[in-house]
């Protein structure tokens, strides 16, 4: 597997945006808190990943109708779907100078193709210490889903099932996909959006 960067300019993966609003005081404070307890770059990235994975609830898992999008909003309410959680992890890492991008998968919405498809978001992080990108999926673990931090073998939330028409998009994007943000902005109920309003492809 070979990941392809959308941009060859590493600074593009450090840009602040409306969704990745890392200058917000709460993002800066959380990033500083996580960094203060870290031994090095890799430890900081791992701590940030574990925080977003475990301390920010996935909206569908808790059956919440609230929709969050911007990183500070996700942190404030401590919940969001994968699109929102990837914004938060990106913001925390970029605030400390860690290049972070967005990656996507096309998955079945349920367990089989007849349930339809949806786009799933995760992050890619460039670690200067080892000179390479790794992908991390902070969606949130539960029975049947076990994503972990790993420098060698990817341990993402969802293995791709080619026979089901699922896809791994191997690009690392500098900004969230517009379709995913549009879903968050145009919807009013997260549970309805999750079932009927997610993009089906990039």
């Amino acid at each position: 597997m070979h990941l392809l960067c959308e941009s060859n300019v590493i600074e593009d993966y450090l840009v602040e945006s409306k969704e990745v609003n890392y200058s917000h005081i709460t993002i800066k404070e959380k990033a500083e808190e996580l960094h203060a307890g870290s031994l090095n770059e890799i430890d900081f990235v791992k701590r940030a990943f574990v925080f977003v994975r475990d301390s920010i609830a996935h909206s569908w898992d808790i059956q919440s109708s609230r929709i969050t999008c911007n990183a500070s909003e996700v942190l404030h309410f401590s919940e969001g779907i994968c699109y929102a959680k990837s914004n938060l992890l990106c913001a925390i890492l970029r605030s400390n100078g860690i290049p972070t991008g967005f990656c996507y998968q096309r998955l079945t919405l349920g367990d089989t193709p007849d349930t339809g498809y949806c786009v799933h978001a995760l992050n890619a992080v460039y670690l200067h210490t080892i000179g390479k990108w790794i992908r991390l999926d902070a969606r949130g673990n539960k029975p049947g889903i076990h994503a972990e931090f790993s420098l060698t073998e990817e341990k993402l939330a969802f293995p791709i099932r080619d026979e089901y028409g699922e896809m791994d998009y191997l690009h690392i994007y500098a900004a969230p996909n517009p379709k995913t943000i549009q879903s968050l902005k145009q919807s009013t109920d997260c549970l309805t959006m999750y079932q009927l309003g997610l993009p089906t492809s990039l």
Side-chain angles (χ1 to χ4, degrees):
M1 183 196 70
H2 180 64
L3 298 173
L4 304 171
C5 289
E6 177 189 31
S7 171
N8 292 321
V9 180
I10 198 70
E11 287 78 15
D12 288 346
Y13 295 94
L14 291 168
V15 170
E16 183 168 22
S17 66
K18 185 176 181 180
E19 291 79 30
V20 184
N21 59 335
Y22 59 72
S23 290
H24 194 281
I25 184 62
T26 59
I27 299 294
K28 292 171 67 174
E29 288 176 349
K30 177 53 67 174
E32 289 170 4
E33 174 193 325
L34 292 166
H35 190 264
S38 302
L39 301 173
N40 50 42
E41 177 197 49
I42 291 174
D43 192 41
F44 169 64
V45 172
K46 181 178 181 179
R47 284 171 180 265
F49 162 72
V50 170
F51 168 73
V52 177
R53 183 193 66 185
D54 296 351
S55 298
I56 307 298
H58 190 286
S59 304
W60 179 259
D61 292 352
I62 61 171
Q63 289 292 285
S64 172
S65 61
R66 177 184 285 117
I67 296 173
T68 59
C69 180
N70 302 344
S72 58
E73 187 180 32
V74 181
L75 182 60
H76 175 75
F77 289 108
S78 295
E79 66 175 90
I81 68 166
C82 59
Y83 307 157
K85 294 186 70 170
S86 62
N87 288 343
L88 176 57
L89 181 56
C90 183
I92 291 173
L93 295 178
R94 286 187 183 183
S95 73
N96 272 64
I98 308 292
T100 307
F102 296 86
C103 294
Y104 298 94
Q105 296 173 324
R106 179 181 186 251
L107 306 172
T108 57
L109 190 57
D111 290 329
T112 54
D114 62 314
T115 59
Y117 294 90
C118 66
V119 169
H120 173 63
L122 54 151
N123 294 102
V125 181
Y126 186 78
L127 295 169
H128 296 91
T129 310
I130 59 175
K132 75 171 188 177
W133 290 90
I134 63 168
R135 291 196 299 177
L136 298 172
D137 192 339
R139 178 233 178 264
N141 291 341
K142 63 178 185 177
I145 297 176
H146 193 69
E148 295 292 340
F149 180 89
S150 175
L151 299 178
T152 53
E153 178 186 0
E154 282 194 336
K155 298 181 180 179
L156 306 179
F158 302 104
I160 294 299
R161 300 172 296 181
D162 295 321
E163 68 275 17
Y164 281 6
E166 297 180 337
M167 292 177 59
D168 212 347
Y169 299 104
L170 296 179
H171 281 79
I172 304 172
Y173 297 95
N177 184 272
K179 290 183 181 179
T180 64
I181 300 303
Q182 185 179 37
S183 289
L184 297 175
K185 295 297 188 183
Q186 290 186 346
S187 303
T188 57
D189 182 280
C190 188
L191 299 180
T192 301
M193 176 190 68
Y194 201 78
Q195 293 175 298
L196 303 172
L198 302 183
T200 59
S201 64
L202 291 188

